[in-house]
Amino acid sequence: MALEKATGSDRPIQDQLVKSGDIPRHIAIIMDGNGRWAQKRGLPRIAGHREGVNSVRDIVEACGQLGVRYLTLYAFSTENWKRPREEVSLLMRLLLKALRDEKDRLHQNEVQLKAVGDISTLPQDVQDELLDGIEKMKNNKGLTLILALSYSGRWDITNAISRMYDDIRSGVLKKEQITQDLITSYLSTRDFPDPDLLVRTSGELRISNFLIWQIAYSELFISQEYWPSFRRTQLYESIADFQRRERRFGMVSEQLHSSEPTGEPLRGMERFVKSASKP
Ligand code: IPE
Ligand code: IPE
Ligand code: MG
């Protein structure tokens, strides 16, 4: 499908996408390239982070309009704490400001805010603002926006194993109960389905310790745009690309088009989940 550049009202292009295939239920994004965007313009790195907030606003709004159910944004990784102190501090101030400035708009748009990561390591005022936003939006029925903050996939899995160990020791959990579904239920992302589409901006070909368990069968899309220039037009391109993929989950093409006894064709992910939970 050829995508024209979204102008004034992009409703037609959204309608076209909804008609042309499945809209990913869950999109996860590694928002990368803020520093390089700024450098290219002779600006300090923080200017790129600031402009990145405008991309977040645009992408959240477009996802809500398209009917995406979950959007996970990798905003700050466990490893990002190793950046120069000045940059970390500016990023935390910007996060606080963005949460304050955007809260009402998100709420009006029926967004439900969530966070994953080691939230207790964030500055107290950021934690307070975040928890306040989560509480305020908890009954909203629109897009679920999940901010990954002080998050890494290895942190998540390590945490899960440690809690499983505690539960085994206290007798709540038995070794025989350990299945893929059970491990999933110990992760911080337990309430959300696995991402269907993982987008990384700025052309980098790596996962950088994001949702390493959850993306086992996500479709990957690498955009050459730096995050501050990644807007809804680029999002639509990634979704159109996603719609051209065949998600086989280890099977062969013919199986995807056959019907279950109910007569209902079972979509790839549902088949994958069913087969993954088999003993
Ligand atoms: C992504 O942009 C934002 C964060 C990781 C917080 P970067 O800051 O990584 O920008 P580049 O990759 O150095 O250009
Ligand atoms: C990944 O970007 C983390 C976030 C986008 C929050 P990085 O810029 O930290 O990743 P690397 O260091 O290039 O792998
Ligand atoms: Mg980067």
Side-chain angles (χ1 to χ4, degrees), residues 188-202:
S188 65
T189 51
R190 68 187 74 87
D191 295 332
F192 322 120
D194 288 343
D196 301 291
L197 172 62
L198 172 70
V199 175
R200 182 166 190 151
T201 60
S202 87

Side-chain angles (χ1 to χ4, degrees), residues 3 14 17 24 27 29 58-64 66 68 71 197 199 221 223 227 229-242:
L3 290 174
Q14 290 185 352
L17 270 178
I27 300 180
I29 308 184
D58 193 45
I59 297 306
V60 168
E61 196 181 283
C63 281
L66 278 168
V68 172
L71 173 66
L197 172 62
V199 175
F221 183 85
S223 167
W227 175 250
S229 335
F230 188 93
R231 298 293 162 95
R232 56 181 67 207
T233 307
Q234 288 75 28
L235 176 80
Y236 299 153
E237 275 165 21
S238 74
I239 295 176
D241 200 81
F242 170 84

